[in-house]
Structures are given as structure tokens and as C-alpha cells.
Amino acid sequence: QVQLEESGGGSVQAGGSLRLSCAASEYSDSSDCVGWFRQAPGKDREGVAIIGTGRTYYDDPVKGRFTISQDNAKNTVSLQMNSLKPEDTAMYYCAWVRPCRWWLLQPMDEGDWNYWGQGTQVTVSS
């Protein structure tokens, strides 16, 4: 059972930046993928970005603004969020899947992921 813990959420003004981190209880190897999802009040959970198997993926609303990365120890995945907009306001969740079948993960669907963190809140004010 992989345990995930998100951190780094907070409140910022539009145009600002935040960096989210996802700490995993296990080492991530080449067979894993880690993703970020978000859920705004009253809306379905939606995919944001994926990293794994040497690749990255971004959903259209965040392309060019968000960057997903994995540290050298491979047990932390970060999401750098720049040029934040009020519509980015949501609870952000880290998710993990093993094994990673990259071709099945887009479009991002929460049903394809094995493990989830508890989430971290991001609030962007105008």
C-alpha cells in the first residue's frame, strides 16, 4: 500500500505561484506513474498532470503554466504552478498507479489510479 501526502497548498492572488509536493512512502521506479488531480466545489475531479516512464502530460487548462517534476530520490513529485488563475482554485490530489500503462492514462480518469493522498487546498483570489 503506497501512502501519499501532499503539501504546499495555500492562498495566493491571481498571477501568483505555488509549488505542491507529493511525498510517497515508497521508491518510485520506472514502472510507476504519479499524477495530480484537482476538484473544485460542486465539480467532478479532473486530471492536471502526469509524470512517469520518462514522460510528462498536462491537461489543456494548465499547459504552459504548470510543471510536474520528480526529484532524484524518486519519492517526491512536485507541481510548480505559475500564473495562477481563480479557476485553478480547488483541492489538489496526488495519485499513484503501478504498473503505469501510459497509453491508458489519457484522458485522465480517477478510476485508473491505485492510490490517493488526502489533498491540499489551493485558493486563488482575483
Side-chain angles (χ1 to χ4, degrees):
Q1 178 101 9
V2 177
Q3 295 181 338
L4 305 172
E5 183 173 2
E6 303 94 337
S7 62
S11 297
V12 296
Q13 291 190 326
S17 298
L18 283 173
R19 186 177 182 86
L20 305 183
S21 291
C22 173
S25 59
E26 295 187 15
Y27 180 86
S28 174
D29 62 28
S30 59
S31 67
D32 302 332
C33 279
V34 179
W36 285 96
F37 286 76
R38 65 186 181 184
Q39 188 168 20
K43 294 188 177 182
D44 293 335
R45 193 171 296 188
E46 63 178 8
V48 174
I50 309 171
I51 189 166
T53 67
R55 291 170 279 197
T56 58
Y57 165 86
Y58 299 94
D59 209 37
D60 286 344
V62 307
K63 282 182 180 177
R65 301 188 297 122
F66 291 12
T67 303
I68 191 169
S69 61
Q70 193 166 27
D71 76 354
N72 292 335
K74 296 187 177 180
N75 66 346
T76 301
V77 170
S78 297
L79 185 69
Q80 178 67 41
M81 306 186 297
N82 298 328
S83 302
L84 283 162
K85 304 175 181 180
E87 51 263 45
D88 294 319
T89 294
M91 184 71 78
Y92 282 71
Y93 297 90
C94 176
W96 182 292
V97 63
R98 174 186 291 169
C100 176
R101 297 182 176 89
W102 184 265
W103 61 95
L104 296 178
L105 295 180
Q106 298 99 44
M108 294 180 72
D109 186 315
E110 60 181 310
D112 293 327
W113 299 79
N114 304 132
Y115 305 106
W116 292 85
Q118 294 299 308
T120 185
Q121 177 68 38
V122 171
T123 302
V124 184
S125 58
S126 57

